[in-house]
Amino acid sequence: RSTDAGAHWSNISSNLPKKGIESFLDLAVMASRRRPELEFYAIGPRTEHIVRLKQRLRAEARPVNLQFPGYVANSVDAVRQVNVVVSLSLVAESVGRTIAEAMAARRPVVAYDSGAVPELVRHGRDGFLVPQSDLPKALEHLETLADHPDLVVEMGRNGRDRARQLFSPDVFATQLNGIYGRGLDAWAVQVRSRA
């Protein structure tokens, strides 16, 4: 959603260090120097790590537009609060659930190009992929989205279509049947080889 104050970017996670929450804070600090109107939300539970990051944030020389609204039980409600979902996870996610939920909710994604993320997000179509730890490139993409709200809508629509394509019940059932079929075939080969 857009407001007079600017665009809203969010990291939705467990707020553990491995989820890249410190990188998200660094991104918000960088944005405060170039685009102070951008609003950042770190949505997730209050952890010891968050307490330390808030202390670090208070020590910044300039105001940083980063809020910690806390845990939101329903991920749909969390995603609705923002225009774009940012994923800076330091671990290669095997399943990008938050990213898939963002795409299903018509939210572009800016994420590290690692793990399963490139299988979900098509760079330039559903969002933007950046090399791990390349926060200047991530900020550049956020600025592009802030400057072009029509691109947010277009990428959101593309992401929704992609989520439907990848995660519809029919597609899931077909993929699950394929997995079971391959498993049964492998089992049959083992049984025959023992006989």
Side-chain angles (χ1 to χ4, degrees), residues 37-121:
E37 77 278 9
L38 299 182
E39 297 179 12
F40 292 79
Y41 293 85
I43 299 174
R46 183 174 185 221
T47 63
E48 289 299 317
H49 188 58
I50 292 298
V51 171
R52 287 190 300 275
L53 291 178
K54 284 182 174 181
Q55 291 169 347
R56 182 180 146 207
L57 195 58
R58 285 191 289 275
E60 284 294 322
R62 69 177 60 239
V64 178
N65 205 349
L66 173 58
Q67 298 176 39
F68 297 88
Y71 175 74
V72 177
N74 185 329
S75 60
V76 173
D77 292 336
V79 172
R80 283 186 183 143
Q81 296 179 33
V82 299
N83 301 81
V84 175
V85 171
V86 178
S87 177
L88 304 175
S89 181
L90 301 174
V91 295
E93 302 286 349
S94 59
V95 176
R97 191 191 80 207
T98 299
I99 291 171
E101 290 170 345
M103 292 170 68
R106 295 184 180 93
R107 300 303 189 266
V109 174
V110 175
Y112 286 150
D113 186 7
S114 65
V117 176
E119 295 175 30
L120 300 174
V121 178

